[in-house]
Amino acid sequence: MRSWSAPKVPRLPGAGAPLRLFDTAAGEVVPTQPGSVARMYVCGITPYDATHLGHANTYLAFDLVNRAWRDAGHEVHYTQNATDVDDPLLERAGQTGQDWRELAEREIELFRTDMEALRILPPREYVGVTESIDQVAELIVNLRDKGATYVLDGDVYFDVAAAPKFGAVSGYAEESMLALSGERGGDPGRAGKKHPLDWLLWRAERPGEPSWPSPFGPGRPGWHIECTAIALANLGTGFDVAGGGSDLIFPHHECGAHEGHVATGEWPFARAYVHAGMVALDGEKMSKSRGNLVFVSRLRQESDPMAVRLALLAHHYRDDWEWTADQAASAEVRLARWRSAAGLAAGPAADAVLADVRARISDDLDAPGALAVLDDWAERALSQGGTDPQAPALVRDIADALLGVRL
């Protein structure tokens, strides 16, 4: 599956500081310590509806990670999946009378367009689950051979008893895990399972559903195993960051971590688990199931895409927050002021601006703090002027390279 086009990223003088991020598994902000190549996997969309602001908030957060690592001198190996076959996609296709493949293809193309408009750096590998069936099947065989699976009515399950570190990613108590499993695609109440938290690896063929041949019979992958297989195939184990929204902490990232551990014998599967907060609308988390969505494709027709990006950057990536229409207007005003200041023939010296923005971003992606630094420079440039003819161009490059905002 093809990715989207990459924007040109300016090179800044010097190098950024080492990036520190909040690791959910550790429960604190920790330094990332990549080698020359920083490796990151971010869970992608299930393409049954258009990209909404919750998606954009997540992918923007990891775009900042990508940019910070590049600025610090690392090459970045970034992989993302698209869950182009899953229950919600099939259900939506059935409701609308569309072919599920055509629905997925259309929404993935819209997602690409939205990501390009927001200047999100593309992954090196953008991989559909339907492209990875053989890798998923091989991984399940590996787990089976290690005694970590069992079969229930043709479905293959992971036996949670085979995961000695289960709970290490989320830190949740079993009661919370059971509740979240039921809310987020699991089946804790299914009769015949060895443990309610055992999770589906391979779903045996059902009438009317797509299926693929496998050593376990025809069927299709469970949710968590797809990301584990794609990450292992492209990044290997012990990669630097596994990312997604905070609703993926459990069960998705928890289960994937233990699939990788049992399959490879290595722990941790990812060195850090990093999660973006949820975006709400009208007091409820923005989600396709609730239907309370603000679509990026519509919003960027009403506002400059760079203003949309600025509206998202005004919130710390780990915070839960609520979208209101006035945020787009405020971002348009900020963007106009930055562009006016950065368009001057000269301005206040900007070397300290570069150092300060780098410091904010390297400290757990403090984008609101970085915006405040640029707000201050723009205010001084517009109200007091300046004598440095190189400063406006440097500020344009800072906003572009580190924040992804083209002025």
Side-chain angles (χ1 to χ4, degrees), residues 278-331:
M278 296 290 101
V279 181
L281 180 69
D282 300 328
E284 295 280 356
K285 184 191 88 167
M286 201 174 291
S287 69
K288 294 177 181 179
S289 60
R290 290 189 174 93
N292 60 335
L293 303 177
V294 176
F295 293 121
V296 173
S297 55
R298 295 176 187 170
L299 189 59
R300 61 184 173 83
Q301 292 175 359
E302 302 166 359
S303 301
D304 188 310
M306 293 300 92
V308 176
R309 185 166 177 125
L310 278 173
L312 296 170
L313 289 167
H315 305 272
H316 191 271
Y317 82 97
R318 284 196 285 120
D319 290 344
D320 295 335
W321 54 278
E322 184 163 359
W323 172 258
T324 53
D326 63 316
Q327 293 177 55
S330 296

Side-chain angles (χ1 to χ4, degrees), residues 48 86-88 91 172 174-189 193 196-197 223-224 246-248 250-252 278 284-285 287-290:
Y48 64 94
D86 199 16
D87 291 345
E91 290 167 5
Y172 295 160
E174 184 170 311
E175 182 179 358
S176 297
M177 291 181 182
L178 288 168
L180 290 172
S181 176
E183 293 170 10
R184 297 174 178 173
D187 55 0
K193 290 171 61 175
L197 290 174
W223 176 27
H224 316 305
S246 59
D247 56 346
L248 297 185
F250 190 90
H252 190 57
M278 296 290 101
E284 295 280 356
K285 184 191 88 167
S287 69
K288 294 177 181 179
S289 60
R290 290 189 174 93

Side-chain angles (χ1 to χ4, degrees), residues 83-164:
T83 304
D84 57 351
V85 59
D86 199 16
D87 291 345
L89 173 65
L90 300 177
E91 290 167 5
R92 179 61 58 85
Q95 292 165 3
T96 58
Q98 301 172 83
D99 182 274
W100 63 272
R101 300 173 191 84
E102 294 176 358
L103 174 59
E105 184 177 349
R106 186 184 73 232
E107 296 304 335
I108 288 170
E109 180 56 29
L110 182 56
F111 175 74
R112 291 188 189 103
T113 304
D114 288 336
M115 294 297 99
E116 284 186 10
L118 293 177
R119 304 188 81 244
I120 304 293
L121 299 175
R124 183 185 298 183
E125 296 95 10
Y126 187 42
V127 186
V129 173
T130 57
E131 300 174 310
S132 309
I133 302 297
D134 289 344
Q135 293 169 343
V136 170
E138 289 171 8
L139 180 55
I140 297 173
V141 167
N142 180 326
L143 296 171
R144 181 188 66 185
D145 291 347
K146 290 181 167 63
T149 72
Y150 63 92
V151 178
L152 176 59
D153 298 330
D155 297 333
V156 182
Y157 276 85
F158 188 100
D159 185 349
V160 74

